[in-house]
Amino acid sequence: MTINTTSTARRDHADGALDITTYPADRRFTGPRPAVLVFPGGGYRFHAEHEGEGYARWLSGIGLHAFVLRYPLMTDHRFPAPLEAGRAALDWIRAGEHGLDVGEHVGVIGSSAGGHIAGLLATGTVMSAERLDAAPPRPDFAILAYAVADLHLLPDAPVSFVLDGRMALRDELSPARNIDAATCPTFLWATAEDPPGFPNALAYASALFAADIPVELHIYPHGQHGLGLANGVAYGDHGEIHIPHTARWAENCAAWLSAEGFLAS
């Protein structure tokens, strides 16, 4: 949904049209193609382009339609605004008004804060203050890069910022604490040098395992938080770091998508 970057007043709900950029699958791929809704990271303060456009160009190149959502930020909004935007974007992709031939599967990918929203969608989270007419839309698969999965694993200050001081929401807005049998198969990765990413990835993977949800987890030895593809391709101020071994996560993810039946040759 459109973000008002000039306002400093927080609003309970976002307004306006969805703010989405579309990246169709590379033209060498024909017929129906899976789609992925992309949530860039940025600590709910900005949208990191290397985790938005960078991911979208990679996904397009392996045969998926990618849709980058610039969701409402906590500088101007508060929950459930980002969650509402994610649900609306999923519905919009499946409705087909974009004109692309989307196949059976629509997934999500998110890094850090963007991974938090992706996890909330995957677990079908509905806040206690919300009143929905139907069950919320869920993705068919999720790709989470050093994503926030349990708000209890983060310091109080950033959590208070995200929750607008409503610390009682910590449990209900922690994806790892709300996994159920309908949660989708998930690919997770983080690095051992990333204090928030590592424990959150372990927590989410453990919760998926306990619920018998298919999961693939990769922990790479090197790399800081916010690496994106780790391929050294910069978008704006981010993405310039290249760690070849860690960058293999994208190759491993593509193999997982194929093995799970989400990405045809």
Side-chain angles (χ1 to χ4, degrees), residues 59-81:
L59 292 165
S60 171
I62 62 173
L64 298 98
H65 299 310
F67 300 84
V68 179
L69 175 65
R70 290 169 184 82
Y71 50 87
L73 300 174
M74 294 301 103
T75 50
D76 295 302
H77 304 274
R78 67 176 188 171
F79 271 98

Side-chain angles (χ1 to χ4, degrees), residues 148-228:
V148 174
D150 189 336
L151 293 175
H152 290 272
L153 296 174
L154 300 180
D156 287 349
V159 174
S160 181
F161 170 74
V162 171
L163 301 183
D164 197 27
R166 299 169 294 168
M167 302 299 275
L169 298 177
R170 216 167 190 166
D171 279 0
E172 66 182 81
L173 287 177
S174 290
R177 294 173 180 259
N178 294 289
I179 289 168
D180 61 14
T183 303
C184 60
T186 304
F187 180 95
L188 298 162
W189 80 271
T191 74
E193 296 178 339
D194 178 1
F198 180 81
N200 275 273
L202 293 183
Y204 200 72
S206 297
L208 289 168
F209 174 79
D212 201 27
I213 305 297
V215 57
E216 180 164 326
L217 169 66
H218 292 258
I219 301 294
Y220 297 92
H222 301 299
Q224 64 191 44
H225 191 76
L227 282 175

Side-chain angles (χ1 to χ4, degrees), residues 24-30 60:
D26 188 276
R27 66 183 63 185
R28 72 180 184 277
F29 298 98
T30 59
S60 171

Side-chain angles (χ1 to χ4, degrees), residues 9 13 32-33 58 61 84 108 124-125 131 162 167 174 187 227 237:
H13 300 281
R33 305 303 305 175
W58 160 61
E84 291 174 327
V108 292
T125 296
R131 297 293 180 267
V162 171
M167 302 299 275
S174 290
F187 180 95
L227 282 175
D237 296 331

